Amino acid sequence: MTEIICPHCGKAFKIDEAGYADILKQVRDSEFEKQLQDRLELAEQDKRSAVALAETKFASELQKESAAKDSEINSLKAKLDAGEVERKLAVAEALAAVEKHRDMLANELERAKQDKQGALQLAEAKLSIELEKSTAKKDAEIQGLKSELAATAVAQQFAIVEAIGAIEKERNELKSDLERAKLEKLISEKSLKDKYETQIKDRDDAIERLRDMKARLSTKMVGETLEQHCETEFNRIRATAFPKAYFEKDNDARTGSKGDYIFRDLDESGAEIVSIMFEMKNESDKTATKSKNEDFLKELDKDRGEKGCEYAVLVSLLEPDSELYNTGIVDMFHRYPKMYVVRPQFFLPMITLLRNAAMNTVKYKSELALVKAQNADITNFENELETFKVAFAKNYDLASRRFQVAIEEIDKSIDHLQKTKDALLGADRNLRLANDKAQDVTIKKLTRGNPTMAAKFSELNEKKDS
């Protein structure tokens, strides 16, 4: 979602990617139209400047070429005049020489008419040939100069025509580019107009169909039709977009309530990517009491928590005139966590948006699960170590107490043995005394004071001696 602040009222509102792209496209089209108009004006100014510059440049070059050609023509005229003068001087000189030679010949003729007649005719013939040669040479030079002047004029005319042709070609190209830009602008405008008219017509048709449907159905049937619509739309793209997804009605009412649909999507390993609890709400225009979207959020949040879903989405046609809900996707995080209210046309984009967002967090969830598993292993190790320490301490305590009892018993045994030892030592002393006493016993001591025993022992001694 993108938050946008209105520049007029300063109110902040949120818009989804599609709406944002649509607004951006309108702004871009407006900017494109403005930029196109500016570029057309700049192109027109550049064209006028280029034409003016080309005309100025052409006029300058034409003036320069005309001046050069006039100078060249004047030079050629001067050369022609000089050639004419030289020709006239040559003719005059030749005539003077001829006249002089003629006079000389006349004199000689006068002197020798008879013998010089042939020589005079020969001289006249030579003079005539030389004069003809000189005249032909000068005529050829004049004709060459005329040809050069004609070629120069043709080249100048061709250069002028070529320059004008290049300018006209550039002007035609600019005119063609301008016409093409205008045509593309008209085509773009017509395409956009047709597109927006088509979209408006489709939207009007959809609104009209919904109005007709709502007018013909009861409140219960409208709600069921909305559920069927969402289910049909999902099943239409299930195989391509959500092949491992679960999207079924919530039939578990053991907790006392249930939502309409539960969506769960799994990855390749079978781990859950995202889960959504859906509730579809609508009502007929003829219903007397009009419900609000917020009337269903608390129960939907409860169902989401009881069914273990991550998100909760209310697909609603309630409050059709609300500017808030008509923008498309509205988050209700300020009321309940991970909850959205959407219009039916944003049902599939909402699933795709949440699923793609969850896909981006799968990696982090896996890493978090690994860290948790590692932490669990460490915790288990610490717990097992603590258990071992407790058990060891218990066993040590029991062993210590038993060792103490054994020590006490040993001490008691030692005391008993000491008493026995003392008794035995006492008995040994008594036996030694008894032995000493026994060793000290003699017949004399036994018979002392006993005449009978003395007589008996005396008899025995006598018998022993005999």
Side-chain angles (χ1 to χ4, degrees):
M1 299 293 293
T2 302
E3 185 174 283
I4 296 177
I5 299 178
C6 179
H8 300 292
C9 63
K11 182 180 179 182
F13 61 94
K14 293 187 176 181
I15 188 170
D16 63 328
E17 293 182 359
Y20 182 77
D22 187 37
I23 293 175
L24 186 62
K25 186 176 183 301
Q26 294 179 15
V27 174
R28 191 185 300 113
D29 292 341
S30 175
E31 287 296 323
F32 174 75
E33 177 67 23
K34 182 179 177 181
Q35 292 178 6
L36 180 62
Q37 190 64 32
D38 293 341
R39 289 187 178 183
L40 289 175
E41 291 178 359
L42 289 175
E44 185 66 26
Q45 292 178 3
D46 292 341
K47 184 195 74 173
R48 289 196 295 268
S49 300
V51 171
L53 181 62
E55 289 178 351
T56 304
K57 183 179 180 181
F58 175 71
S60 176
E61 292 179 354
L62 186 62
Q63 186 175 2
K64 289 180 181 179
E65 290 182 358
S66 298
K69 296 301 179 184
D70 291 339
S71 177
E72 189 175 357
I73 290 171
N74 292 331
S75 177
L76 292 173
K77 285 182 178 180
K79 287 182 180 180
L80 287 175
D81 293 338
E84 185 69 22
V85 170
E86 289 178 358
R87 187 178 65 81
K88 288 181 179 180
L89 285 174
V91 171
E93 289 178 358
L95 289 175
V98 170
E99 288 177 354
K100 184 178 179 180
H101 190 59
R102 185 192 59 186
D103 292 339
M104 289 176 64
L105 292 175
N107 292 329
E108 290 179 2
L109 184 63
E110 287 294 333
R111 288 192 304 268
K113 287 184 179 179
Q114 298 298 324
D115 53 348
K116 297 295 182 181
Q117 184 67 35
L120 180 59
Q121 291 179 353
L122 181 60
E124 288 180 353
K126 287 182 178 180
L127 178 62
S128 177
I129 291 171
E130 289 178 0
L131 184 61
E132 287 180 358
K133 288 182 178 180
S134 177
T135 303
K137 183 178 180 182
K138 297 300 180 183
D139 291 338
E141 290 178 356
I142 292 171
Q143 190 65 33
L145 291 174
K146 287 183 179 181
S147 299
E148 289 181 1
L149 286 175
T152 303
V154 170
Q156 183 179 6
Q157 197 69 23
F158 179 75
I160 293 172
V161 171
E162 186 177 13
I164 293 174
I167 294 173
E168 288 180 348
K169 181 180 179 182
E170 186 176 359
R171 182 196 63 189
N172 293 333
E173 288 179 353
L174 291 173
K175 185 176 180 181
S176 176
D177 292 339
L178 182 61
E179 292 294 331
R180 185 167 58 255
K182 288 182 179 179
L183 182 60
E184 290 177 354
K185 177 184 175 185
L186 291 175
I187 294 174
S188 177
E189 289 177 351
K190 187 175 184 304
S191 175
L192 289 174
K193 183 178 179 182
D194 294 341
K195 179 180 178 181
Y196 290 135
E197 287 179 353
T198 303
Q199 290 180 352
I200 293 171
K201 185 176 182 301
D202 293 341
R203 185 172 297 177
D204 291 341
D205 293 341
I207 292 172
E208 191 63 31
R209 285 196 303 272
L210 288 174
R211 285 177 178 172
D212 292 341
M213 182 188 301
K214 290 169 68 178
R216 286 187 281 106
L217 298 175
S218 65
T219 302
K220 182 174 184 300
M221 284 300 295
V222 168
E224 291 178 352
T225 303
L226 180 58
E227 293 178 8
Q228 293 172 1
H229 166 74
C230 293
E231 184 174 2
T232 301
E233 287 296 306
F234 180 82
N235 289 332
R236 186 167 54 84
I237 66 168
R238 178 197 292 269
T240 55
F242 306 101
K244 295 184 178 296
Y246 167 90
F247 183 73
E248 302 293 340
K249 287 185 69 67
D250 181 15
N251 296 319
D252 186 3
R254 291 177 295 176
T255 58
S257 63
K258 62 184 182 66
D260 286 335
Y261 282 88
I262 294 178
F263 170 84
R264 298 183 189 276
D265 198 7
L266 309 176
D267 61 10
E268 297 295 333
S269 63
E272 182 176 295
I273 300 173
V274 66
S275 58
I276 309 171
M277 171 64 71
F278 281 100
E279 183 76 15
M280 285 74 172
K281 289 298 177 184
N282 195 4
E283 63 187 1
S284 175
D285 291 334
K286 296 181 179 179
T287 306
T289 58
K290 301 296 182 181
S291 300
K292 293 185 177 180
N293 290 314
E294 292 195 6
D295 298 341
F296 304 96
L297 300 183
K298 182 177 180 181
E299 190 70 19
L300 178 57
D301 183 66
K302 176 184 175 185
D303 294 335
R304 178 186 69 84
E306 291 176 347
K307 303 303 167 60
C309 294
E310 184 178 0
Y311 294 94
V313 177
L314 176 63
V315 183
S316 170
L317 283 172
L318 304 179
E319 301 181 65
D321 298 327
S322 172
E323 292 293 332
L324 174 64
Y325 297 111
N326 286 338
T327 56
I329 299 176
V330 181
D331 68 83
M332 306 300 292
F333 289 10
H334 61 286
R335 299 295 305 276
Y336 301 97
K338 295 187 176 182
M339 180 170 290
Y340 297 91
V341 178
V342 301
R343 293 303 189 196
Q345 61 269 30
F346 295 100
F347 165 68
L348 290 178
M350 189 71 230
I351 294 178
T352 304
L353 181 65
L354 294 179
R355 190 241 193 187
N356 291 340
M359 287 291 292
N360 293 331
T361 61
V362 167
K363 177 181 178 182
Y364 303 105
K365 286 183 178 179
S366 300
E367 294 177 356
L368 181 60
L370 180 60
V371 172
K372 286 183 177 179
Q374 293 174 350
N375 291 336
D377 291 341
I378 294 173
T379 304
N380 292 334
F381 177 76
E382 291 176 348
N383 293 335
E384 290 177 359
L385 180 61
E386 190 66 27
T387 302
F388 172 75
K389 288 167 65 177
V390 170
F392 183 83
K394 183 178 180 182
N395 293 334
Y396 174 79
D397 184 60
L398 291 173
S400 178
R401 283 186 290 175
R402 291 184 179 181
F403 182 79
Q404 192 64 35
V405 171
I407 294 296
E408 291 175 357
E409 292 295 328
I410 290 172
D411 290 339
K412 289 179 181 180
S413 298
I414 291 172
D415 291 339
H416 181 68
L417 291 172
Q418 187 65 40
K419 290 178 181 179
T420 304
K421 177 183 177 184
D422 293 341
L424 291 173
L425 290 174
D428 179 67
R429 188 170 56 251
N430 291 323
L431 289 172
R432 187 173 64 253
L433 291 173
N435 183 54
D436 291 342
K437 289 179 179 180
Q439 294 296 328
D440 193 47
V441 175
T442 63
I443 294 174
K444 290 179 178 181
K445 288 182 179 180
L446 289 175
T447 61
R448 184 183 298 162
N450 191 344
T452 305
M453 291 301 298
K456 292 287 183 186
F457 277 111
S458 178
E459 291 178 358
L460 287 174
N461 287 327
E462 290 177 357
K463 289 179 179 182
K464 183 177 178 182
D465 291 338
S466 61

